[in-house]
Amino acid sequence: MNDNATPLPLGHISVNALKVVNRLTEHGFEAYLVGGCVRDLILGRSPKDFDVATDAHPEEVRDIFRNSRSIGRRFRIVHIRFGREIVEVATFRSAHEEIHEDSHSEGGMILDDNIYGTFQEDVFRRDFTMNALYYNVDTDEVIDLVNGMDDIKAKRIRLIGEPDKRYREDPVRMLRAVRFKAKLGFNIDEDTGSSIRQIGYLLQDIPPARIFEEVLKLFMTGHAVATLEAMLEYDLFGWLFPSARRAMDDTLAGKLIHLALASTDRRIANDMPVTPAFIFAALLWYPFIENRKRLEEESVTHVEASHEAAANVIANQQLFTSIPRRFSGPMRDIWNLQFRLPARYGRKPEILIAHKRFRAAYDFLLLREESGEKLDGLGQWWTSFQEADEDARGKLKLQTTGKKKRKRKRKRRFNHDRMSANSYHP
Ligand code: ATP
Ligand code: MG
């Protein structure tokens, strides 16, 4: 049962997590480090956070730690804060209540004794064997009831129990499987993987807000490209992003999405800021362009077409993943600026550069070009313009004079819009 001969590297364990476990055991409770942190310690990776499982009830945990609070919907969890670090303490629970967890409102939940579980139940309600190892800090032992240690050694992702049943209980586990595959470089075990292709559609039943949270973990934690590839391999991508998935079949969308995710991964590796707005802008660019083109054919003006197409595409995507307004706004800015970037005369370039979303829009333009859209060197022009001094900038600008200006301007914008609209049908 307990086959762990090699002690975990204690030095990598957060002193605060150790403090929490020790205080709980001093008070006569059982307490273990559990989940991703144990898995990561075994792998020699440094865990991003520490989870503790205990038989103490939340009120009991709160009585012991003054720096603690019960959190949200998942009220069986207590957060204990140490400066910037938070240690999460969860009371043992059984599987059956978890299934109902999302369907109950916070206020509607009744703290009933039988919602808690035993140690055993807590082990078997977890998702993958590699995530169900419990580390006893006192004895330096890993308790492994599910052969998780062997699976970690074999780099194998294996669901506990019967895959079909476990995915039906919580379809998000399918996304977790591909995320761990990408993040850890593990393989998904045959049975654990084959179900996914059959029942990926169950993800449609998950509230869009929860899916959005999961999308952040999929694409914003430094392994986005590998995650996308795993999602495509297991036919999951289309359940989250149906319009993007369709666009991938006959446009440059796949290339653009790939480049945007690669750039996100690179930025994270270099500790640079990233935003989901940029990723969503890339995911939905072709659906947006296509929709916009249709509206233009109905002789709606460019500006109206952009506005409406963005609203349509975003509303449609929100049936699957929510997109909080703080991200959909910037995303629309990135899109709208694409149609303003070709106007390179008069004061326009300076005005555009001062736009708070210019940098993101310029980066996006470069990715569009890199993905194969024919934009006539527009990206290079903006690169040169930003590097140039005032004199050189003047020379770079497109020339327009007097009366002709309005006419030429309109023509150029029109051409560009057509060019973008058509560029996915080369
Ligand atoms: P990460 O390194 O991404 O944090 P993690 O394994 O710690 O990975 P968390 O989401 O922090 O993932 O969850 C902590 C633990 O809770 C998991 O290791 C697993 O044991 C359990 N768990 C999380 N989500 C589920 C789920 N949907 N179904 C069953 N168990 C889950
Ligand atoms: Mg974790």
Side-chain angles (χ1 to χ4, degrees):
M1 175 170 120
N2 182 2
D3 64 349
N4 178 39
T6 39
L8 295 189
L10 272 177
H12 286 100
I13 302 179
S14 127
V15 286
N16 296 321
L18 288 177
K19 244 187 254 173
V20 170
V21 170
N22 289 332
R23 288 270 289 284
L24 284 164
T25 47
E26 280 162 22
H27 280 78
F29 296 109
E30 273 182 77
Y32 306 92
L33 292 180
V34 69
C37 66
V38 180
R39 179 198 68 217
D40 289 348
L41 288 168
I42 293 168
L43 288 167
R45 305 169 73 108
S46 92
K48 77 172 162 35
D49 45 39
F50 288 83
D51 293 319
V52 172
T54 181
D55 62 351
H57 287 189
E59 322 80 71
E60 294 169 321
V61 177
R62 296 214 48 198
D63 284 346
I64 298 174
F65 300 95
R66 284 178 45 230
N67 47 334
S68 67
R69 63 188 188 98
S70 300
I71 57 149
R73 199 161 44 75
R74 293 173 173 265
F75 59 94
R76 272 165 246 84
I77 292 173
V78 177
H79 274 178
I80 304 175
R81 180 177 280 282
F82 300 88
R84 287 180 56 194
E85 186 183 358
I86 288 174
V87 177
E88 208 171 281
V89 180
T91 305
F92 293 152
R93 55 196 208 234
S94 59
H96 71 268
E97 50 85 16
E98 180 139 347
I99 304 166
H100 302 294
E101 190 168 41
D102 279 356
S103 60
H104 285 55
S105 71
E106 194 183 337
M109 288 257 200
I110 298 155
L111 274 175
D112 181 333
D113 261 354
N114 65 19
I115 62 168
Y116 301 116
T118 62
F119 176 85
Q120 284 261 345
E121 287 173 321
D122 198 65
V123 172
F124 289 94
R125 64 106 187 152
R126 289 182 185 272
D127 49 4
F128 306 105
T129 59
M130 63 180 182
N131 288 344
L133 300 176
Y134 293 66
Y135 181 53
N136 183 329
V137 174
D138 264 353
T139 62
D140 203 12
E141 281 177 318
V142 173
I143 304 172
D144 178 6
L145 305 187
V146 291
N147 279 325
M149 197 64 103
D150 285 347
D151 285 335
I152 290 178
K153 284 181 189 147
K155 295 180 175 292
R156 190 159 55 212
I157 299 172
R158 194 162 58 85
L159 265 179
I160 298 170
E162 211 265 297
D164 203 68
K165 173 168 174 277
R166 299 306 310 282
Y167 289 137
R168 284 177 195 279
E169 276 172 16
D170 181 6
V172 168
R173 288 171 186 152
M174 295 186 272
L175 294 176
R176 290 174 59 83
V178 293
R179 176 159 71 82
F180 289 127
K181 173 180 161 69
K183 170 178 161 168
L184 304 170
F186 280 22
N187 293 310
I188 301 180
D189 192 52
E190 176 64 32
D191 285 352
T192 297
S194 56
S195 286
I196 298 181
R197 290 196 188 85
Q198 315 297 320
I199 54 176
Y201 68 88
L202 291 173
L203 285 167
Q204 294 172 111
D205 300 336
I206 304 297
R210 184 166 176 218
I211 299 280
F212 178 77
E213 289 303 313
E214 210 52 42
V215 167
L216 297 184
K217 293 188 196 165
L218 291 163
F219 291 151
M220 309 272 299
T221 55
H223 315 275
V225 170
T227 303
L228 172 70
E229 276 158 11
M231 287 175 82
L232 291 169
E233 182 186 342
Y234 286 92
D235 296 340
L236 287 179
F237 185 70
W239 299 115
L240 268 56
F241 300 100
S243 61
R245 179 67 196 83
R246 278 194 300 276
M248 275 181 170
D249 288 335
D250 53 14
T251 63
L252 301 170
K255 194 90 208 296
L256 180 70
I257 291 168
H258 211 275
L259 287 169
L261 295 181
S263 135
T264 305
D265 286 348
R266 237 179 356 257
R267 292 179 68 99
I268 290 174
N270 293 320
D271 276 328
M272 290 160 76
V274 290
T275 166
F278 193 83
I279 293 176
F280 274 83
L283 286 166
L284 300 176
W285 171 247
Y286 281 91
F288 164 67
I289 285 298
E290 239 167 276
N291 203 289
R292 185 176 182 277
K293 189 181 159 209
R294 260 204 307 280
L295 290 164
E296 277 185 333
E297 280 163 3
E298 294 165 16
S299 63
V300 176
T301 68
H302 297 324
V303 173
E304 282 168 355
S306 287
H307 184 82
E308 251 183 74
N312 290 342
V313 167
I314 290 170
N316 184 40
Q317 180 57 37
Q318 283 182 323
L319 301 172
F320 304 89
T321 66
S322 59
I323 311 176
R325 219 177 273 278
R326 66 183 184 284
F327 301 128
S328 60
M331 183 176 141
R332 281 166 170 255
D333 287 344
I334 291 171
W335 283 347
N336 287 332
L337 283 167
Q338 301 307 305
F339 301 102
R340 292 174 61 191
L341 289 169
R344 290 158 286 165
Y345 45 82
R347 296 290 305 159
K348 286 195 184 262
E350 282 84 1
I351 293 168
L352 282 170
I353 280 187
H355 193 290
K356 65 175 186 286
R357 228 65 79 181
F358 171 79
R359 185 69 213 190
Y362 163 71
D363 287 343
F364 194 80
L365 176 74
L366 294 183
L367 294 192
R368 284 173 60 203
E369 245 174 9
E370 201 184 334
S371 74
E373 264 193 79
K374 300 277 176 284
L375 299 176
D376 226 3
L378 188 58
Q380 182 54 53
W381 188 91
W382 277 104
T383 306
S384 309
F385 188 80
Q386 289 174 83
E387 286 163 359
D389 60 25
E390 204 170 325
D391 255 11
R393 284 186 169 191
K395 292 191 185 108
L396 277 168
K397 285 184 187 179
L398 305 183
Q399 296 310 310
T400 48
T401 45
K403 265 187 149 180
K404 271 189 169 172
K405 191 172 160 187
R406 280 179 65 89
K407 209 172 162 194
R408 288 186 57 176
K409 172 173 127 186
R410 196 176 282 151
K411 193 168 169 215
R412 190 163 16 249
R413 287 186 62 161
F414 181 68
N415 278 342
H416 169 70
D417 290 349
R418 285 187 55 88
M419 183 167 66
S420 317
N422 288 331
S423 55
Y424 59 94
H425 286 311

